[in-house]
Amino acid sequence: MLTLTLLLALAAPQADTMTCGWLDEMNNTFIWKPIAMENQPEVYSEQRGLLSMRLPHVPDGWPYAYQWSGVTRDIIVDLDRYPVLVARVSQLQQGSYAHLDIAELDIHGKESWTTRSTTLQTPGLSVADVGKERHGVRRLRLRLIVGGPNEGCSCSYSYVRFVSEEDQARLQKEPDWSRVRLER
């Protein structure tokens, strides 16, 4: 009986654990793929739990006033239960910026709706209330973006999570909250 009680206690979510509808704690950076662009970022991880991107000085003749690029992956999330996308940008090079592009995919994998999270110029939380406009279980394409001066730019993401509105408020107060679990 003690063993069953212990197993139930271990299986039950803890009150201080945040439940997410989808999450990536950046422990495997290889599942994020570079966006199909000319200037793909260097993607690396200085430590477990950190996805870093760097864009070097652009080549001579670059036709734009600044540069940007990023990485992408497709996900499925229940927006009725976990409507808010929150990404923690823990490092941002001077003059750089970071945000997320979010697109809904139709049954053919084509983008049918898009939005963008808040843009950061200093480390912090980039947020998008996707559930304001979309409901139910949706297939989305996320893009983590870094941009900045043509001389070079970089940033590091430490997590991306879909959370409830209550947990968004918790993350605003405690952005490095790490006790999380994925709802199954």
Side-chain angles (χ1 to χ4, degrees):
M1 188 64 155
L2 180 60
T3 304
L4 179 58
T5 304
L6 181 60
L7 286 174
L8 290 174
L10 291 174
Q14 301 298 313
D16 64 345
T17 300
M18 180 182 298
T19 302
C20 303
W22 182 89
L23 59 85
D24 189 331
E25 300 299 297
M26 301 305 171
N27 293 321
N28 180 359
T29 59
F30 298 108
I31 55 180
W32 291 90
K33 303 299 179 201
I35 296 172
M37 297 179 66
E38 269 186 64
N39 67 326
Q40 293 186 351
E42 175 188 13
V43 180
Y44 59 98
S45 180
E46 294 174 336
Q47 65 188 41
R48 186 170 167 81
L50 205 60
L51 180 144
S52 298
M53 293 187 288
R54 177 172 38 219
L55 295 171
H57 191 289
V58 298
D60 290 340
W62 181 258
Y64 308 106
Y66 66 94
Q67 63 174 323
W68 69 273
S69 193
V71 294
T72 186
R73 72 182 283 196
D74 295 350
I75 69 160
I76 296 175
V77 64
D78 183 347
L79 296 173
D80 289 337
R81 298 191 64 197
Y82 303 98
V84 183
L85 174 63
V86 179
R88 173 80 163 111
V89 177
S90 54
Q91 178 275 328
L92 201 51
Q93 181 180 336
Q94 179 74 28
S96 300
Y97 67 85
H99 65 80
L100 284 81
D101 289 336
I102 305 103
E104 181 176 5
L105 303 177
D106 68 16
I107 61 170
H108 304 289
K110 296 193 188 280
E111 296 181 5
S112 60
W113 172 86
T114 61
T115 192
R116 176 174 285 177
S117 69
T118 52
T119 300
L120 301 176
Q121 294 181 317
T122 59
L125 297 179
S126 182
V127 177
D129 189 349
V130 181
K132 268 189 174 177
E133 296 185 46
R134 292 295 189 249
H135 301 282
V137 177
R138 300 293 179 129
R139 186 166 51 143
L140 304 175
R141 176 164 293 146
L142 301 182
R143 291 185 196 93
L144 308 182
I145 303 297
V146 61
N150 288 335
E151 292 73 34
C153 53
S154 69
C155 75
S156 296
Y157 287 85
S158 54
Y159 62 75
V160 181
R161 302 171 182 162
F162 270 90
V163 299
S164 67
E165 292 169 346
E166 296 80 22
D167 284 334
Q168 174 197 0
R170 181 190 296 187
L171 288 172
Q172 294 290 353
K173 293 176 188 169
E174 298 181 65
D176 292 322
W177 188 276
S178 62
R179 294 178 307 277
V180 295
R181 75 176 186 89
L182 179 62
E183 179 183 276
R184 292 288 176 187

